[in-house]
Amino acid sequence: MQSKKKIFLTSNNPAKVEAVKIVCSKLFDVFSIKHEDIASGVSDTPFTDDEAILGCYTRINSSEHNLSEHVDYIIALEGLIEKKSFGQFVYGWAVIKEMESSSFFYGCSGKVYLPNRVMQKMSSQKRLSDVVLELYPGTSADELKLIGTNGVLTDGLYTRAMEFETALLCAFGSMMTSKV
């Protein structure tokens, strides 16, 4: 019989919570998820993988020191924008800390192209979600929390929850193969 896995997610974001629930239901027979918004200590929309991963580490370290009960995994998820010579993309990272071994495992999502008109309005002081709400007035703030920018840009074909599902599956997959 599989023991109950206890998971702590460092965010209350509905898309992130949904992604963790979906992935954990594929991996564990019995699990519980607690979640709380933990500050990342990085910009609202990071522009590098290193900044996004640093945000994940900060969330994990902060929550680890404040947890009042044992958990098996602490999960941090961070979305970001990457600029390349051929375009810019929105995607996400998952970092999982397995508490038993104190090991970190990483996964990255697929990337969705950001139109130039989105990037022209972006700055380090602006959140991507605010720019998307401004440029896509048919999208509500509540809808954007669920489907994310990538959901808006792909007409729901690849949502923010799917983004983080992909990243989580990659991170958990590497964790499982590291034990072989």
Side-chain angles (χ1 to χ4, degrees), residues 127-162:
R127 294 172 48 114
L128 178 58
S129 57
D130 294 335
V131 171
V132 171
L133 288 172
E134 178 185 331
L135 291 175
Y136 297 88
T139 304
S140 71
D142 287 339
E143 181 183 21
L144 186 61
K145 285 179 188 175
L146 291 174
I147 68 170
T149 296
N150 36 359
V152 171
L153 297 176
T154 65
D155 199 25
L157 291 175
Y158 189 66
T159 66
R160 189 157 200 226
M162 292 171 177

Side-chain angles (χ1 to χ4, degrees), residues 8 10 16 38-42 46 48-66 74-79 93-99 102-107 171:
F8 182 80
T10 62
K16 293 178 180 182
I38 306 292
S40 69
V42 299
T48 67
D49 290 334
D50 288 338
E51 185 182 9
I53 297 296
L54 176 62
C56 288
Y57 286 152
T58 300
R59 291 176 198 265
I60 289 170
N61 290 335
S62 295
S63 61
E64 185 175 6
H65 295 298
N66 295 319
I74 300 175
I75 297 173
L77 303 168
E78 193 71 52
W93 278 99
V95 177
I96 301 170
K97 182 169 186 183
E98 181 185 40
M99 301 307 287
S102 291
S103 298
F104 290 92
F105 298 91
Y106 307 86

Side-chain angles (χ1 to χ4, degrees), residues 3 6 10 24 39 41 47 73 96 119 125 146-147 167-168 170:
S3 64
K6 293 184 179 183
T10 62
C24 288
F47 283 93
Y73 308 108
I96 301 170
M119 289 306 297
Q125 291 77 37
L146 291 174
I147 68 170
L168 283 163
C170 291

